[in-house]
Amino acid sequence: MAILAFDFGGSAVKYGVWNGQEMTDKGKFTTPKTWEEMKASLLAVFVGMAQDFEGVALSAPGVVDVEKQLINGISAIPYIHGFNIFKELEELFNLPVAIENDANCAGMAEIYEGAAKGKKEVAFVVVGTGIGGAIFHNGQIAKGAHLYGGEFGLMYLNEGEAFSKLGTAVQMAWRYCERKGVEKETFTGEDVFRLAENGDELAKEEVNLFYEYLTQGLFSIQFSLDPEMIVLGGGVSAKEGLLDEVNRRMKEKLAHFELNDFIPKIVTCKYENDANLIGAAANFITSQKNNE
């Protein structure tokens, strides 16, 4: 039996079928503007697959409260919050439904099948427009007392600014644009990295700040949680040379604090575009086992 997985994003909803080994029949559609339109689109995918499913797995933004069966917090899809979304979807598909936060899903994909497979204590850090993540303790998601475990982006780093505002390539590009006096979408993170490599002094300053803030945040995570491994996700994790630069700066900080017991192990994720879908399926399988 297969699992139908969906990943709710602000601009698109991705989907695929987990057959126990890989994600197949992948596709996507533009994120609808209302909940009723969303349900119709989800059902159309479900019917169009024309196969039997064990259940439906969802990766979603926001603070997913499994016990209360709703999504709290805020996100780019406001209409999925504040009601029993589990019940409505179970009635829509007439199947069991499991929902988990998107960053938690991406982390689950890495700990169950990816870069952190076999590890018990892991911090998964997603570097996108902002910074999110997930904490794994004894191999299980540690959501915390208020379900905010892994919200690393809220950490203060510098003069009241949070990790999410400082330690991402997107924010780096926006700062560069602001300093250049142009619209913030004029240059991307990739553009700024390239400009720095070509000798642009302003770009070199911003790239240096990006690496510094990213490493500061990872240093704090390492010595707050003491994971076996930190896994970096998000688009910038694929940048050539990123790990080398972060590790170099990490060693400098260890030396500064005279910490020589170990060197933090930082790796990049195995799964990129499929991480949320694979993690959603893993979460469904785990939830079903827990209900047995």
Side-chain angles (χ1 to χ4, degrees):
M1 294 286 281
I3 299 166
L4 178 59
F6 292 98
D7 174 31
F8 286 8
S11 58
V13 175
K14 299 176 184 177
Y15 60 85
V17 177
W18 179 252
N19 63 13
Q21 295 181 321
E22 61 180 345
M23 194 64 64
T24 66
D25 301 303
K26 293 182 290 186
K28 65 180 180 179
F29 57 84
T30 300
T31 303
K33 297 187 181 299
T34 69
W35 177 235
E36 290 305 316
E37 291 173 3
M38 173 69 87
K39 287 197 293 184
S41 297
L42 296 174
L43 188 60
V45 171
F46 175 75
V47 173
M49 290 292 183
Q51 62 177 294
D52 292 330
F53 292 108
E54 181 180 346
V56 178
L58 269 75
S59 160
V63 180
V64 180
D65 189 328
V66 176
E67 289 188 5
K68 295 182 179 179
Q69 296 203 317
L70 52 79
I71 301 175
N72 290 314
I74 57 174
S75 77
I77 317 177
Y79 57 75
I80 66 175
H81 297 270
F83 66 98
N84 193 328
I85 188 171
F86 286 72
K87 181 180 178 182
E88 286 207 21
L89 291 175
E90 285 173 349
E91 291 176 351
L92 180 70
F93 298 115
N94 196 30
L95 285 172
V97 170
I99 308 174
E100 187 50 84
N101 167 266
D102 46 13
N104 287 346
C105 284
M108 290 183 77
E110 296 301 327
I111 202 165
Y112 286 113
E113 295 289 340
K117 187 173 184 178
K119 303 295 183 183
K120 297 295 184 182
E121 308 295 326
V122 177
F124 179 68
V125 183
V126 184
V127 184
T129 303
I131 290 179
I135 301 166
F136 292 86
H137 175 59
N138 288 331
Q140 302 295 319
I141 291 179
K143 295 185 179 182
H146 306 96
L147 306 180
Y148 277 84
E151 290 293 343
F152 304 125
L154 295 173
M155 295 191 308
Y156 280 117
L157 286 192
N158 184 52
E159 297 180 357
E161 292 287 0
F163 196 8
S164 276
K165 289 292 185 181
L166 298 173
T168 81
V170 173
Q171 299 289 342
M172 171 191 72
W174 288 353
R175 288 193 300 270
Y176 178 83
C177 290
E178 183 177 359
R179 294 177 69 182
K180 293 285 284 187
V182 299
E183 293 293 325
K184 73 176 186 179
E185 307 294 343
T186 305
F187 295 98
T188 66
E190 289 182 0
D191 292 333
V192 178
F193 283 126
R194 185 178 64 254
L195 287 165
E197 290 167 3
N198 291 336
D200 183 313
E201 291 299 325
L202 187 59
K204 286 198 287 186
E205 285 181 25
E206 287 300 336
V207 168
N208 177 64
L209 285 172
F210 160 71
Y211 280 122
E212 180 60 23
Y213 290 134
L214 178 59
T215 309
Q216 282 183 22
L218 297 179
F219 183 92
S220 297
I221 291 167
Q222 179 65 58
F223 289 97
S224 297
L225 301 174
D226 195 23
E228 299 170 77
M229 174 184 287
I230 295 175
V231 181
L232 292 179
V236 77
S237 67
K239 174 173 171 48
E240 184 178 353
L242 179 129
L243 275 185
D244 291 339
E245 185 62 25
V246 168
N247 284 323
R248 182 184 70 79
R249 291 172 184 252
M250 184 67 73
K251 289 175 182 177
E252 288 179 352
K253 297 186 188 311
L254 294 172
H256 175 76
F257 288 102
E258 298 182 356
L259 294 165
N260 51 27
D261 294 341
F262 69 97
I263 297 174
K265 185 172 181 60
I266 304 171
V267 302
T268 53
C269 62
K270 175 180 177 181
Y271 299 109
E272 296 176 357
N273 293 332
D274 290 347
N276 291 7
L277 290 173
I278 293 170
N283 177 62
F284 178 89
I285 293 166
T286 300
S287 66
Q288 291 301 298
K289 289 179 180 177
N290 291 339
N291 291 333
E292 290 178 356

